[in-house]
Amino acid sequence: MNLERIQKNKIKTILQFSIPSIIAMIMTSLITVADGFFIGNYVGKEGLAAVNLGLPIVYLYLAVGLMVSVGGVAIAGMALGSKNLQKCNSVFNQTLATATVSTILLSLIMLQCFNPLLKLLNVDSQVMIFFRDYYGIMLLELPLMVVNTSFGMFIRGEGNPGYFMKVNILNVLLNILLDYIFVRWFGWGVKGVAFASLLAATATLLCTLYFFIKKSNVYKFTKFTFSKENFVNTLFNGSSEFIGEMSLSISMFAYNFVILKNIGIDGVTAFTIVGYVAYIFSMVIIGFGQGASPLISFAYGAKEHLLAIDLRRITNLMVLLSGAVTLLLVLIGSRWYSGLFVKNSAVEQMVRSGVMIFAVSFLFSGINTISSFYFTSIGKAKESAVISSARGLIILLICIFTLPTLLGIVGVWLVAPITESLTLFLSLYFIIKEKQNLSY
């Protein structure tokens, strides 16, 4: 990376780093949507509900993985900006080792939690069977997903985002092909979808390992001495991402609990389908964040604070425009989308009305997400953690436990827009405060 080139071509540089990341993240989200398509059309609404009920487990893995990975990448990026290559490699190796060990241990723990979770949700026997079939295999895949994500962040961090984009495209195509073979031809149902994810994740891991063995110019596999200081700084710097994903895990469980109690399985299925749109959009925003973060860290580490602010401001404008375009597309295509996954009139009606209300949140969620990324990238984890916990836990849970009870299914859809709009005030407060501090 070159400061002069970034300064002269801010928009172009952000797009150069973000577009491959966005494409990679969209490709990743398409895996989830494709899984939902095959499950909905070949298994049924109970299969979709079962997968959605286990999403808190997925977010738990992402919480641990992103805390370690984002925190490590930010520290390595600032070290790279200050020309400390030895620290870069030390942080890289320790980050990957920590992500691998922590997620394997998490799989062993989660295996013991299936029965208590299902009893608490009080689901019927068919949904329970689908849940165990799917997540029994996914406990093998999820650690690979976290490690692949960590590798991808470091590949982008050293200025080669295009490679990981190609790897993600391979992952998506392989996943969809295996979904078709295992579900459509072999009739393996939710087990087939899970096996497809596991095999595709393994292929992705081999490709990322090849990059760091043969092609990497900055980060290399080497022996390293475990640094308690780097470990603590990594966890602290990535704490906002941990809070954000843990908040998603808790809030998703709360969503499912409240929807099951007030509406039933049809409500969970409708929420799952609406959630695919939200998931794709969140991947676009995360792609912008992952693309801009190494640039912001590099500029901040080189003491170019105003450049870091400009990069954040431009990225925020980009995600605002993305949110507006996505909202327009949702308004146009809601009727077609509502019947894409299941053929059930009650579920389709819920999806048709719900997706239009839910999509209003896209106008605010992008700015909140990028603001959180920004504060993480400059080493200010407290501000990032407050934003993440507000939108992903505190305000969100208040809305989840009040709005659906008062307004039924409409209340479910209103949770996201109200949460994101209230959090926006908090994000703007921290941004203004940071700018004032730098002006002194």
Side-chain angles (χ1 to χ4, degrees):
M1 282 188 275
N2 182 281
L3 278 174
E4 185 178 354
R5 182 173 69 86
I6 296 173
Q7 184 72 56
K8 290 182 177 179
N9 301 283
K10 298 184 188 75
I11 295 177
K12 181 179 179 181
T13 306
I14 291 172
L15 291 175
Q16 283 177 337
F17 274 71
S18 296
I19 288 177
S21 180
I22 291 168
I23 293 174
M25 297 306 291
I26 290 177
M27 292 294 103
T28 300
S29 66
L30 287 179
I31 294 174
T32 301
V33 176
D35 288 351
F37 175 82
F38 283 103
I39 292 173
N41 283 278
Y42 294 99
V43 178
K45 64 181 183 180
E46 291 82 5
L48 278 177
V51 171
N52 189 70
L53 292 176
L55 283 181
I57 297 173
V58 178
Y59 289 129
L60 177 59
Y61 278 85
L62 288 173
V64 174
L66 287 178
M67 175 175 62
V68 174
S69 303
V70 172
V73 167
I75 293 172
M78 287 187 281
L80 182 61
S82 60
K83 312 296 185 184
N84 190 344
L85 296 180
Q86 182 177 358
K87 184 176 182 180
C88 277
N89 270 297
S90 178
V91 172
F92 164 69
N93 284 276
Q94 182 168 309
T95 298
L96 267 298
T98 304
T100 302
V101 173
S102 60
T103 50
I104 290 174
L105 290 175
L106 186 57
S107 285
L108 296 176
I109 294 171
M110 290 309 303
L111 188 61
Q112 310 303 317
C113 297
F114 278 7
N115 287 335
L117 177 64
L118 292 171
K119 286 181 180 178
L120 183 61
L121 290 171
N122 193 30
V123 298
D124 63 47
S125 58
Q126 186 61 66
V127 174
M128 190 179 297
I129 292 170
F130 287 146
F131 181 95
R132 288 199 179 100
D133 287 346
Y134 183 79
Y135 284 101
I137 298 168
M138 291 300 289
L139 290 185
L140 299 174
E141 189 272 346
L142 290 170
L144 296 182
M145 176 194 72
V146 169
V147 172
N148 285 332
T149 301
S150 299
F151 275 132
M153 290 182 186
F154 281 102
I155 291 173
R156 285 188 290 268
E158 77 163 49
N160 201 339
Y163 182 87
F164 195 62
M165 178 190 71
K166 295 174 184 176
V167 171
N168 269 278
I169 292 174
L170 172 65
N171 182 30
V172 172
L173 295 178
L174 183 59
N175 209 304
I176 294 174
L177 175 63
L178 292 175
D179 273 350
Y180 183 77
I181 293 172
F182 292 161
V183 180
R184 178 68 177 84
W185 286 2
F186 294 175
W188 289 355
V190 293
K191 284 185 178 180
V193 172
F195 270 123
S197 297
L198 177 60
L199 293 177
T202 302
T204 301
L205 179 62
L206 294 175
C207 292
T208 54
L209 287 173
Y210 171 80
F211 176 87
F212 287 105
I213 293 171
K214 296 291 187 179
K215 301 174 75 69
S216 177
N217 294 318
V218 177
Y219 300 110
K220 302 289 184 181
F221 289 122
T222 59
K223 291 183 178 180
F224 69 97
T225 302
F226 182 83
S227 168
K228 183 179 179 181
E229 180 183 1
N230 285 341
F231 179 74
V232 171
N233 289 337
T234 294
L235 298 188
F236 180 73
N237 208 39
S239 61
S240 65
E241 277 64 36
F242 177 81
I243 292 171
E245 294 300 325
M246 274 303 297
S247 299
L248 282 173
S249 178
I250 295 169
S251 63
M252 184 57 66
F253 181 84
Y255 260 126
N256 288 330
F257 181 82
V258 170
I259 294 172
L260 279 172
K261 181 180 179 181
N262 291 282
I263 302 161
I265 288 294
D266 282 357
V268 174
T269 304
F271 180 71
T272 304
I273 296 170
V274 172
Y276 291 144
V277 177
Y279 183 51
I280 292 174
F281 180 72
S282 70
M283 291 297 102
V284 173
I285 301 308
I286 291 173
F288 272 113
Q290 290 184 349
S293 287
L295 299 173
I296 292 171
S297 295
F298 183 74
Y300 206 85
K303 309 299 182 184
E304 292 288 342
H305 297 164
L306 293 180
L307 175 58
I309 290 175
D310 281 344
L311 293 170
R312 187 264 308 154
R313 184 186 299 116
I314 293 169
T315 308
N316 271 340
L317 290 174
M318 290 179 177
V319 299
L320 177 60
L321 178 61
S322 300
V325 171
T326 305
L327 176 59
L328 179 61
L329 292 175
V330 166
L331 294 176
I332 294 172
S334 61
R335 181 173 295 275
W336 165 81
Y337 180 76
S338 64
L340 184 61
F341 293 89
V342 293
K343 305 304 178 186
N344 181 288
S345 58
V347 173
E348 288 181 40
Q349 180 57 42
M350 290 182 191
V351 172
R352 191 177 305 125
S353 59
V355 72
M356 292 188 288
I357 300 172
F358 198 102
V360 174
S361 67
F362 300 162
L363 296 175
F364 316 114
S365 61
I367 296 174
N368 292 328
T369 302
I370 297 302
S371 298
S372 180
F373 265 105
Y374 169 74
F375 286 111
T376 297
S377 299
I378 64 174
K380 296 195 173 184
K382 183 182 74 173
E383 289 84 348
S384 182
V386 171
I387 293 171
S388 295
S389 59
R391 68 189 292 257
L393 190 63
I394 300 171
I395 298 175
L396 182 63
L397 285 181
I398 292 172
C399 291
I400 288 174
F401 283 107
T402 55
L403 295 178
T405 302
L406 295 173
L407 302 173
I409 191 64
V410 175
V412 172
W413 310 132
L414 284 172
V415 167
I418 292 176
T419 298
E420 295 293 352
S421 60
L422 292 175
T423 305
L424 181 62
F425 291 104
L426 192 60
S427 298
L428 294 176
Y429 167 76
F430 284 128
I431 288 171
I432 293 170
K433 184 178 178 181
E434 170 67 15
K435 185 177 180 180
Q436 289 174 341
N437 289 339
L438 288 176
S439 65
Y440 289 120

